[in-house]
Amino acid sequence: ECDLALLLSLRPLLKPRYYSISSSPRVLARACSITTAVHNSPRKDGSTFEGLCSHYLAEKPAGSQVRVVIKDTKSSFRLPEDAKKDVILIGPGTGVAPLRGFIEERAALRKDDVAVGQTLLFFGCRQPAHDYLYRAELEGHLADGTLNALHVAFSREPGKPRRYVQHDLREQSKKLRALLQNGAYVYICGDARYMAPDVQTAFIEILQGESEMTFEQASAALEQLKAQGRYLQDVWAST
């Protein structure tokens, strides 16, 4: 037998769980928001594994205090310094979190009469009534002109075929190719296992277009966008 102190000393420390901030400091100067899904995964024995941090946060009543740390990761996943640059935002599910902050930032700049380029959002979720995060807010941004386009793909909408963000990207191929040729920036946030590679393939096809450019040449053009800091990803492996 061993005492509790020894037992705890033998267990590995819990790793910090980092979430992207989903608000703009121009809107919330002394506060910030995060966006997280509450995770539940089946175990082999039939029980359910509950996400430790997501359930902890979800079960906290409104007004509760929690201890957090804000970490500057020195990430390049930031809006371009020139607000006049067009941006193409792609964020299915909770991948919309930092993109929501970007949209708020652009909205605040517009209110301050700063010239802002086009802002396009491609969002994906399962069902309109289930996980269309920030629907009213995003549609409000579309109505007031902060968003120039809002494309939403539903993968589990009853009676309809599965649709993902890459399908909407391909449908907007001509528009997106013109924006890229004009210096637009692309931001992708979310699943690294399936979504990010599928979106990359879609952009290679978009760059290829109807020209005689080969798939390999279009792939090289995409790598050049990455090198220029114009194709940025904030992705993680899904479970």
Side-chain angles (χ1 to χ4, degrees):
E1 295 182 4
C2 64
D3 59 23
L4 180 60
L6 177 58
L7 177 63
L8 292 176
S9 70
L10 296 174
R11 291 184 58 81
L13 294 174
L14 288 174
K15 294 182 179 179
R17 177 64 173 97
Y18 293 111
Y19 295 93
S20 298
I21 293 175
S22 58
S23 56
S24 165
R26 288 182 182 271
V27 177
L28 294 174
R30 298 183 59 81
C32 64
S33 69
I34 60 172
T35 304
T36 178
V38 179
H39 289 285
N40 298 287
S41 303
R43 290 193 177 102
K44 291 182 179 180
D45 63 3
S47 63
T48 300
F49 171 78
E50 296 180 344
L52 185 61
C53 191
S54 63
H55 274 267
Y56 169 76
L57 293 172
E59 292 168 3
K60 284 288 183 182
S64 298
Q65 292 187 353
V66 296
R67 294 183 64 184
V68 299
V69 61
I70 297 177
K71 181 178 180 179
D72 183 357
T73 61
K74 309 300 181 184
S75 171
S76 60
F77 199 81
R78 302 172 184 270
L79 284 171
E81 292 184 8
D82 183 357
K84 294 190 294 296
K85 292 293 185 181
D86 302 320
V87 297
I88 302 163
L89 311 176
I90 303 150
T94 53
V96 78
L99 309 183
R100 177 187 181 240
F102 289 174
I103 294 167
E104 283 191 352
E105 180 82 1
R106 308 266 281 187
L109 288 171
R110 293 178 74 245
K111 286 182 179 179
D112 290 340
D113 295 324
V114 176
V116 176
Q118 293 190 55
T119 306
L120 290 75
L121 175 63
F122 291 81
F123 175 67
C125 59
R126 294 194 171 196
Q127 298 178 25
H130 176 60
D131 53 357
Y132 187 168
L133 305 179
Y134 304 114
R135 179 172 185 169
E137 184 178 306
L138 294 175
E139 291 178 350
H141 285 310
L142 181 66
D144 69 20
T146 297
L147 281 175
N148 298 89
L150 172 61
H151 300 282
V152 185
F154 301 111
S155 63
R156 301 290 191 281
E157 192 171 9
K160 295 186 179 181
R162 294 188 179 187
R163 190 172 181 85
Y164 299 98
V165 287
Q166 58 266 28
H167 296 130
D168 284 341
L169 291 170
R170 288 188 174 95
E171 281 193 356
Q172 300 298 316
S173 178
K174 186 175 180 180
K175 170 72 172 178
L176 296 177
R177 188 160 55 251
L179 289 173
L180 290 171
Q181 290 170 349
N182 196 42
Y185 285 64
V186 180
Y187 296 87
I188 302 158
C189 186
D191 170 46
R193 185 176 299 176
Y194 302 110
M195 182 275 295
D198 289 343
V199 166
Q200 177 164 304
T201 299
F203 268 101
I204 291 172
E205 294 173 3
I206 288 167
L207 289 169
Q208 189 175 7
E210 299 175 357
S211 67
E212 296 182 0
M213 184 186 294
T214 65
F215 189 86
E216 290 72 22
Q217 289 171 328
S219 298
L222 183 64
E223 291 303 315
Q224 187 174 10
L225 288 179
K226 292 180 181 179
Q228 294 170 351
R230 290 176 48 208
Y231 188 95
L232 299 157
Q233 301 181 86
D234 178 10
V235 296
W236 56 88
S238 60
T239 55

